[in-house]
């Protein structure tokens, strides 16, 4: 496997709902690079630990669970199938209670340390697009291109509101805004790898931009 130094690494960090997932996927496709969805790894630790009956505050057991995680990201039609111990958990890791547990396990320093090398191993030639919260600040500090994608809490909540309405779920926009603000506060104030732009990151505010406009701006930065 190639090391990070022989692969071009593009990092995309930022708060929930800023469009990182979609943009990382589009950017990886356009560049022909591999994709790392680091949030999925935290979600997998959450699901695996719940399956094993590990308590949310048992840091040693959570860390052991993270370092022995048996996962596979298999390319599927227009996306990726996530396998945990051979079982398709692509949808299961997106459930609300898994999201909650993922945010708790992501605050455990031992878990973050246990996932570090696993994330770095994704960097193979010709390149990697790494999506997360600490890709540019901790995991790939030497990345050639770093982006910090953000948008106002209101714009991010509005996007989520539209997604949920399209799925026929009834939600309150004001509650979504409050949830997003609470999650931002938790991500930005945690002791280990808090969410913040790397000093050499290009900050992109997508509040008034379409996905296509953001993608073109990122590609132009990389070309330049
Ligand atoms: O991006 P996401 O919602 O799938 O992330 C799931 C959780 O993991 C979320 O609480 C943020 C956290 N996370 C993190 O702390 N560091 C990362 N590099 C990626 C995600």
């Amino acid at each position: 496997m190639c090391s990070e130094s022989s692969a071009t690494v593009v990092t995309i960090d930022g708060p929930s709902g800023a469009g990182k997932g979609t943009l990382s996927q589009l950017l990886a496709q356009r560049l022909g690079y591999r994709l790392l969805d680091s949030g999925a790894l935290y979600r997998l630790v959450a699901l695996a630990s719940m399956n094993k009956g590990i308590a949310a505050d048992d840091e040693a057991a959570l860390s052991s669970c993270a370092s022995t995680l048996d996962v596979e990201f298999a390319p599927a039609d227009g996306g990726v199938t996530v396998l945990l111990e051979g079982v398709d958990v692509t949808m299961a890791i997106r459930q609300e209670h898994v999201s909650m547990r993922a945010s708790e396990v992501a605050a455990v320093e031992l878990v973050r340390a246990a996932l570090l090398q696993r994330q770095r191993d994704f960097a193979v030639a010709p390149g990697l697009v790494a999506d997360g919260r600490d890709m540019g600040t901790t995991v790939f500090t030497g990345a050639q291109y770093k982006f910090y994608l953000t948008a106002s809490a209101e714009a991010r909540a509005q996007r989520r509101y539209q997604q949920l309405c399209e799925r026929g779920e009834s939600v309150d926009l004001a509650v979504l805004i409050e949830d997003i603000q609470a999650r931002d506060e938790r991500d930005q104030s945690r002791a280990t790898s808090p969410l913040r732009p790397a000093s050499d990151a290009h900050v992109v505010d997508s509040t008034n931009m379409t996905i296509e406009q953001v993608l073109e701006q990122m590609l132009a930065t990389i070309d330049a």
Side-chain angles (χ1 to χ4, degrees), residues 38-39 42-43 94 102-103 106 112 132-135 190:
S38 61
Y42 290 96
R43 290 172 177 277
R94 304 282 155 200
S103 137
R112 302 198 76 87
R133 306 291 190 288
D134 62 342
M135 298 295 98
R190 93 178 150 224

Side-chain angles (χ1 to χ4, degrees), residues 44-55 58 61-62 64-70 84-85 101:
L44 283 158
V45 175
L47 182 64
S49 64
M50 285 191 288
N51 288 348
K52 291 183 162 100
I54 297 171
D58 187 345
L62 288 172
S64 152
C65 179
S67 45
T68 56
L69 210 55
D70 171 9
L84 175 64
E85 291 173 358
R101 175 63 83 94

Side-chain angles (χ1 to χ4, degrees), residues 12-17 20-21 36-43 93-94 98-107 112 119 131-135 139 183 186-187 190 192-193 195:
I12 306 187
D13 291 306
S16 301
K20 298 188 305 291
L36 165 62
D37 172 4
S38 61
L41 288 174
Y42 290 96
R43 290 172 177 277
I93 58 168
R94 304 282 155 200
V98 179
S99 304
M100 296 295 287
R101 175 63 83 94
S103 137
E104 288 169 358
V105 304
R112 302 198 76 87
Q119 295 175 84
D131 159 7
R133 306 291 190 288
D134 62 342
M135 298 295 98
V139 183
R183 220 174 325 157
R186 201 165 50 230
D187 285 347
R190 93 178 150 224
T192 310
S193 292
L195 172 67

